[in-house]
């Protein structure tokens, strides 16, 4: 369970907690990553409570949140290491929690030095993928496990309301009110939700991108982000974005756009889905698609358009596939495109996503790419049609909300 705020509201997010529990006392650095305010700090507190309930003493736990100015002095890695070393238990395991560790420039030196000591179990969080860049990952290579955290799923949002009924209405709420946990406390207060999301957006842009990447043209960065938000689920390239912005009077080039896209994905505000040639079984390096971490952020930034509903559903499905542990790609099969190729150690599943397929022409258009795939992996069409599950030569058509709620595979 994750407790949201101070009003006693509880949301089940056991999949993340159970992962931490499973890795307890394993000789690995546990790294929880994800966008700001998705629940990482609360997850660590919850796990610490679980430890205490299962025999770990308060004196065995050291927890530091580097967003707290009380610990500003410890952002010097040498001072931090000294501070931690002096507090290690001699004969018992010490559980060390370093929250928002990206504020420490040389944190891998601290973590690696602690890792090699006996009876130390390390947990860290970060809101920027830079902390796992090639250089840093090499420093602690083979010594860590990453747990990627996202804001609330639709199922978690439904459970937070205390009822699994009225899913159609709650799906709209979920999109508009945002999936960030704290917005649950602001339910029914649209202006306050908007202010919160705007503040969060500005913090991510300034703290996690502009300051870290030393970007001078903040307006251009925001223009690129706005463009991506406005084109979720559409094939994009840095050149296409640069050309469009330039034609609209915001002159830039593809190298600058590429740099900004990298910074935006590192901050977890957008996700890139690469293209995958299904017949050739190879990854393609052009015209990726991008998805936003939260539909509420998108509504806050560019407003809502009825025509976007299909792409927003696609966005929600993409994030859910990530939550379920899949690597997700955009599929190419001949001249056709498959919305998602979802792969994990168990195999592959192909997904098409559409608002409705009640029109015969639309149904045939969605079926055509899946029919052209000759392997025997599962193939699924997800729609918002409130119809019973249907099969077309082995291709399943499922209600997307049922699928999001785990009512069907």
């Amino acid at each position: 369970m994750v407790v949201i705020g101070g009003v006693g509201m509880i949301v089940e997010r056991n999949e993340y907690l159970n992962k931490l529990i499973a890795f307890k006392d394993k000789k690995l650095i546990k790294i929880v990553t994800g966008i700001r305010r998705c629940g990482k700090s609360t997850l660590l507190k919850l796990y610490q409570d679980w430890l205490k309930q299962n025999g770990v003493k308060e004196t065995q736990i050291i927890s530091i949140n580097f967003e707290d100015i009380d610990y500003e002095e410890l952002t010097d890695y040498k001072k931090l290491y000294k501070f931690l070393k002096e507090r290690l238990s001699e004969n018992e395991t010490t559980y060390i929690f370093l929250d928002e560790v990206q504020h420490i420039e040389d944190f891998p030196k601290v973590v690696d030095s602690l890792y090699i000591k006996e009876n130390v179990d390390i947990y860290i969080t970060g809101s920027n993928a830079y902390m796992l860049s090639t250089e840093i990952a090499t420093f602690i290579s083979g010594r860590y496990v990453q747990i990627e955290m996202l804001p609330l799923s639709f199922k978690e949002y439904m459970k937070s309301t205390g009822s699994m009924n009225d899913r159609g209405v709650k799906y709209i709420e979920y999109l508009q009110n945002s999936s960030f946990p704290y917005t649950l406390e602001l339910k029914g207060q649209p202006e306050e939700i908007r202010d919160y999301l705007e503040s969060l957006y500005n913090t991510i842009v300034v703290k996690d991108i502009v300051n870290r990447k030393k970007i001078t043209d903040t307006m251009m960065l925001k223009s690129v982000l706005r463009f991506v938000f406005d084109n979720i689920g559409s094939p994009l390239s840095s050149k296409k974005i640069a050309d469009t912005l330039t034609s609209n009077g915001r002159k830039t080039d593809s190298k600058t756009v590429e740099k900004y896209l990298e910074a935006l994905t590192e901050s977890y505000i957008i996700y890139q889905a690469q293209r995958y040639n299904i017949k050739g079984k190879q990854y393609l390096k052009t015209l990726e698609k991008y998805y936003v971490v939260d539909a509420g952020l998108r509504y806050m930034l560019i407003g809502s358009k009825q025509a976007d509903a299909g792409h927003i559903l696609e966005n929600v499905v993409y994030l859910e596939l990530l939550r379920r542990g899949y690597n997700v790609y955009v599929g190419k099969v001949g001249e056709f495109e498959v919305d998602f190729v979802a792969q994990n150690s168990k195999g592959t599943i192909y997904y098409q996503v559409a608002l409705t397929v009640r029109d015969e022409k639309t149904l045939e258009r969605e079926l055509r790419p899946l029919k052209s795939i000759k392997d025997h992996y599962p193939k699924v069409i997800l729609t918002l049609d409130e119809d019973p599950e249907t099969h077309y030569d082995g291709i399943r058509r499922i209600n997307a909300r049922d699928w999001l709620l785990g009512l069907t595979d």
Side-chain angles (χ1 to χ4, degrees):
M1 299 287 186
V2 172
V3 180
I4 307 298
V7 295
M9 188 177 292
I10 296 176
V11 180
E12 289 185 8
R13 306 198 76 186
N14 288 333
E15 71 274 18
Y16 297 119
L17 177 60
N18 289 338
K19 285 179 183 178
L20 290 182
I21 293 171
F23 285 113
K24 176 182 178 289
D25 296 330
K26 300 291 191 298
K27 196 62 177 174
L28 288 167
I29 301 159
K30 276 65 77 170
I31 303 179
V32 182
T33 58
I35 193 168
R36 285 177 179 271
R37 306 296 176 259
C38 70
K40 299 186 300 296
S41 300
T42 308
L43 177 65
L44 291 193
K45 290 175 183 173
L46 183 70
Y47 179 57
Q48 289 164 33
D49 289 342
W50 181 90
L51 288 174
K52 292 172 194 173
Q53 291 164 12
N54 287 271
V56 175
K57 294 179 285 191
E58 186 88 44
T59 54
Q60 292 175 251
I61 297 173
I62 305 172
S63 182
I64 301 172
N65 187 331
F66 292 100
E67 297 272 271
D68 189 336
I69 200 169
D70 286 346
Y71 300 109
E72 188 172 19
E73 187 177 340
L74 296 181
T75 55
D76 179 311
Y77 82 94
K78 291 181 181 178
K79 291 181 180 178
L80 173 62
Y81 180 67
K82 183 175 183 293
F83 175 89
L84 294 171
K85 187 179 177 184
E86 289 172 349
R87 287 161 176 78
L88 297 180
S89 299
E90 288 187 16
N91 302 313
E92 299 172 304
T93 300
T94 302
Y95 297 87
I96 297 176
F97 297 86
L98 306 177
D99 202 2
E100 300 295 358
V101 77
Q102 74 270 5
H103 292 287
I104 306 165
E105 189 169 343
D106 291 309
F107 81 86
K109 294 180 180 179
V110 177
V111 170
D112 196 48
S113 295
L114 292 169
Y115 171 86
I116 63 177
K117 297 187 182 304
E118 294 294 324
N119 300 323
V120 175
D121 199 8
I122 308 167
Y123 301 79
I124 65 179
T125 79
S127 297
N128 198 296
Y130 171 79
M131 62 180 282
L132 290 177
S133 65
T134 303
E135 182 182 343
I136 294 171
T138 300
F139 200 89
I140 55 175
S141 177
R143 302 182 180 188
Y144 73 89
V145 60
Q146 182 181 4
I147 298 169
E148 298 184 47
M149 198 169 187
L150 284 160
L152 300 176
S153 68
F154 179 53
K155 183 177 181 179
E156 290 166 340
Y157 182 85
M158 285 284 287
K159 285 187 174 181
S160 77
T161 67
S163 168
M164 300 300 280
N165 299 325
D166 301 321
R167 61 185 190 162
V169 173
K170 289 174 183 174
Y171 175 74
I172 301 300
E173 285 180 5
Y174 173 68
L175 299 179
Q176 294 180 343
N177 290 350
S178 165
S179 59
F180 283 100
Y182 183 69
T183 59
L184 293 177
E185 293 196 16
L186 304 175
K187 192 173 180 180
Q189 305 173 64
E191 292 302 317
E192 285 78 1
I193 289 175
R194 182 179 178 82
D195 288 346
Y196 173 74
L197 292 176
E198 191 167 354
S199 173
L200 177 57
Y201 162 78
N202 288 326
T203 300
I204 293 166
V205 168
V206 174
K207 282 193 174 184
D208 294 334
I209 303 175
V210 172
N211 291 350
R212 178 166 290 282
K213 292 289 188 178
K214 297 179 172 55
I215 291 172
T216 54
D217 193 347
T218 306
M219 291 306 296
M220 179 57 71
L221 174 69
K222 290 184 176 181
S223 293
V224 171
L225 182 57
R226 182 182 289 271
F227 186 91
V228 173
F229 271 33
D230 203 19
N231 290 275
I232 54 170
S234 299
L236 294 178
S237 68
S238 53
K239 185 179 186 306
K240 180 179 180 180
I241 297 172
D243 290 348
T244 304
L245 292 177
T246 298
S247 68
N248 291 338
R250 297 283 300 154
K251 189 174 181 180
T252 188
D253 57 61
S254 57
K255 283 188 176 180
T256 301
V257 170
E258 199 168 318
K259 174 186 172 185
Y260 289 174
L261 288 173
E262 181 182 310
L264 291 165
T265 53
E266 282 185 353
S267 70
Y268 301 108
I269 196 168
I270 61 172
Y271 285 77
Q272 181 195 79
Q274 284 184 285
R275 294 168 74 230
Y276 178 74
N277 186 321
I278 294 170
K279 287 185 176 178
K281 292 184 169 33
Q282 59 183 345
Y283 303 107
L284 305 173
K285 295 182 178 179
T286 57
L287 294 175
E288 302 88 357
K289 289 188 176 184
Y290 290 88
Y291 297 96
V292 60
V293 71
D294 173 65
L297 270 179
R298 184 178 183 273
Y299 281 123
M300 182 277 296
L301 195 63
I302 65 172
S304 62
K305 304 172 187 174
Q306 187 60 37
D308 289 345
H311 277 150
I312 291 170
L313 176 60
E314 191 179 313
N315 199 121
V316 171
V317 169
Y318 173 80
L319 294 177
E320 183 62 24
L321 287 169
L322 293 185
R323 286 188 185 92
R324 296 182 185 186
Y326 289 100
N327 294 316
V328 189
Y329 308 94
V330 177
K332 181 180 183 298
V333 53
E335 62 183 89
F336 303 122
E337 184 178 277
V338 177
D339 287 332
F340 298 125
V341 180
Q343 299 177 332
N344 65 12
S345 58
K346 298 177 182 177
T348 300
I349 307 178
Y350 302 107
Y351 289 94
Q352 288 289 84
V353 183
L355 277 184
T356 176
V357 291
R358 284 178 173 165
D359 176 77
E360 284 296 324
K361 289 182 180 179
T362 304
L363 174 61
E364 186 52 40
R365 187 182 69 229
E366 298 298 331
L367 285 171
R368 198 176 297 126
L370 297 178
K371 286 180 176 179
S372 66
I373 302 172
K374 300 308 178 185
D375 63 40
H376 299 290
Y377 288 122
K379 302 170 181 69
V380 179
I381 298 177
L382 296 173
T383 84
L384 291 184
D385 294 327
E386 292 290 348
D387 298 327
E389 180 175 327
T390 310
H391 292 245
Y392 308 91
D393 298 324
I395 299 170
R396 300 170 66 201
R397 188 184 90 186
I398 301 172
N399 178 271
R401 285 184 286 251
D402 281 350
W403 180 82
L404 290 168
L405 293 173
L407 301 178
T408 184
D409 293 335

